[in-house]
Amino acid sequence: MSTEPKTTTIRVSLATRDEIAKLAEQEGKSMTAVVDEAIREHRRKLRWQRVAEQMERTRREDPESWAEYVAERDRWLGPPSRHRRIAPEWEGLIESPEESDEG
């Protein structure tokens, strides 16, 4: 019985194949590892995007619950600081406190 994972072939453009190969060589990984990592990263991005959308929907549609959430968050973390940055996985998905204060 083989312990090697089963594989298949997918069609990608030559440019995409070449880019995967270049990244794999630069990072010392297999092309499969580069593709697997890209898929994991894309899933993570989508998950955080859904969280951000849900939070925005709650803020908009249920201001009372949003206020309770913000109050609890502030009890745990302290009030927002003008110098605090948002977590890297949220960057580009939600506004930082500074951006929402200015707008």
Side-chain angles (χ1 to χ4, degrees):
M1 178 179 253
S2 174
T3 58
E4 194 170 313
K6 293 182 179 182
T7 63
T8 190
T9 302
I10 61 170
R11 290 180 183 265
V12 296
S13 69
L14 291 175
T16 297
R17 192 243 0 237
D18 292 347
E19 186 66 26
I20 295 168
K22 186 165 73 173
L23 289 168
E25 185 177 335
Q26 287 173 350
E27 296 182 20
K29 299 178 180 178
S30 69
M31 291 174 66
T32 299
V34 170
V35 171
D36 289 346
E37 187 177 325
I39 291 169
R40 280 191 306 276
E41 186 60 35
H42 187 68
R43 284 184 184 275
R44 186 177 304 121
K45 177 184 172 187
L46 291 175
R47 184 174 52 248
W48 283 113
Q49 203 167 24
R50 282 192 303 275
V51 168
E53 290 165 358
Q54 292 166 348
M55 290 178 73
E56 176 58 25
R57 188 170 43 252
T58 299
R59 187 191 65 74
R60 198 176 52 250
E61 296 175 4
D62 191 352
E64 186 176 321
S65 292
W66 180 254
E68 290 173 8
Y69 163 76
V70 169
E72 182 175 348
R73 179 197 66 195
D74 289 351
R75 279 194 299 275
W76 279 93
L77 302 175
S81 164
R82 285 219 162 282
H83 305 291
R84 183 184 301 157
R85 291 182 42 116
I86 60 174
E89 61 268 19
W90 286 85
E91 288 188 19
L93 298 175
I94 63 171
E95 291 181 350
S96 68
E98 294 82 9
E99 291 170 341
S100 59
D101 288 347
E102 294 169 1

